Amino acid sequence: MVQVQRQLFTVADYHKMGEVGILSPDDRVELINGEIIRMSPVRSPHANCVSVLEELLFEQLIGKVTIRTQNPIAISDSSEPEPDVAVVKYGRRRYSKKYPTSQDVLLIVEVSDSTLKYDRTTKLELYASVGIPEYWIMNIPDGQIEVFRKPGNGDYSEKLVFKNDEDVRALSINFKINVEDIFFD
């Protein structure tokens, strides 16, 4: 029987593929645990959720943090995810020559419609393993916000679910929203 082997890549390999044209900016991919992962197409509910969240973050946190939407985060030598929203330490020029690292990240948010299982497993494990203090999943199918805190050993020890008219507060930053601010249909 033939053993199937995967070819894993480093961040340097991944960037080189972009430089030489193997990957293009239109490919919508990210590097997770050495694998190049094709991201799902962005549908209207997903795009709207990202836009509303971005607007609410700017309203409450302008000049206090940097808000990055669907941009890379330098997690490790084998992972460079592009979360839907990353709230990172403030600095207009801080990230002009390098991506934020896990030490810069205060909050990561993934908006999930078709990727819910992946965001609850692979992404959660990745973010917890590098100490991202707070990770939120905007769960579109169920109209709820899932909050994960206290990272350690590839998991979060605190897991909360907010629904309906409940307030959600980010402990890592001074930010509060109501679930209905996001899921208002």
Side-chain angles (χ1 to χ4, degrees):
M1 186 180 330
V2 175
Q3 183 76 12
V4 176
Q5 294 183 344
R6 293 185 198 176
Q7 173 65 49
L8 299 179
F9 301 98
T10 65
V11 169
D13 298 332
Y14 179 65
H15 286 201
K16 190 68 167 173
M17 285 185 244
E19 290 170 19
V20 299
I22 295 170
L23 297 173
S24 80
D26 297 333
D27 284 333
R28 288 203 29 84
V29 295
E30 61 185 348
L31 185 68
I32 305 293
N33 298 324
E35 295 184 90
I36 298 172
I37 306 295
R38 186 167 306 283
M39 294 189 286
S40 298
V42 176
R43 295 182 182 94
S44 181
H46 183 282
N48 187 67
C49 187
V50 171
S51 294
V52 169
L53 179 61
E54 183 179 39
E55 184 178 307
L56 293 169
L57 284 161
F58 276 118
E59 283 176 6
Q60 294 182 41
L61 300 172
I62 193 160
K64 298 175 185 170
V65 297
T66 297
I67 300 161
R68 297 175 55 87
T69 306
Q70 298 171 332
N71 285 314
I73 301 293
I75 294 285
S76 70
D77 289 340
S78 63
S79 293
E80 193 174 272
E82 296 186 22
D84 289 308
V85 177
V87 180
V88 298
K89 293 176 183 172
Y90 183 73
R92 289 187 179 172
R93 294 189 180 113
R94 184 179 198 139
Y95 310 110
S96 64
K97 293 186 169 62
K98 65 177 186 70
Y99 295 134
T101 66
S102 56
Q103 290 78 29
D104 297 312
V105 176
L106 304 168
L107 169 68
I108 284 186
V109 181
E110 294 288 359
V111 176
S112 297
D113 42 13
S114 62
T115 60
L116 191 54
K117 182 179 178 189
Y118 186 73
D119 291 338
R120 283 179 174 161
T121 56
T122 303
K123 288 279 186 94
L124 182 142
E125 292 165 11
L126 176 66
Y127 297 146
S129 71
V130 296
I132 302 298
E134 199 159 351
Y135 171 48
W136 291 11
I137 296 175
M138 299 295 181
N139 178 335
I140 292 174
D142 298 321
Q144 64 190 28
I145 301 173
E146 301 171 14
V147 174
F148 304 90
R149 299 182 184 126
K150 299 181 182 171
N153 300 320
D155 200 3
Y156 287 88
S157 61
E158 185 175 311
K159 301 172 185 185
L160 306 165
V161 176
F162 296 87
K163 300 178 181 185
N164 305 317
D165 190 31
E166 294 181 302
D167 287 334
V168 184
R169 183 176 302 279
L171 298 183
S172 55
I173 53 177
N174 188 21
F175 176 68
K176 181 180 93 169
I177 60 172
N178 188 282
V179 174
E180 290 183 355
D181 292 338
I182 300 295
F183 303 110
F184 45 81
D185 285 337

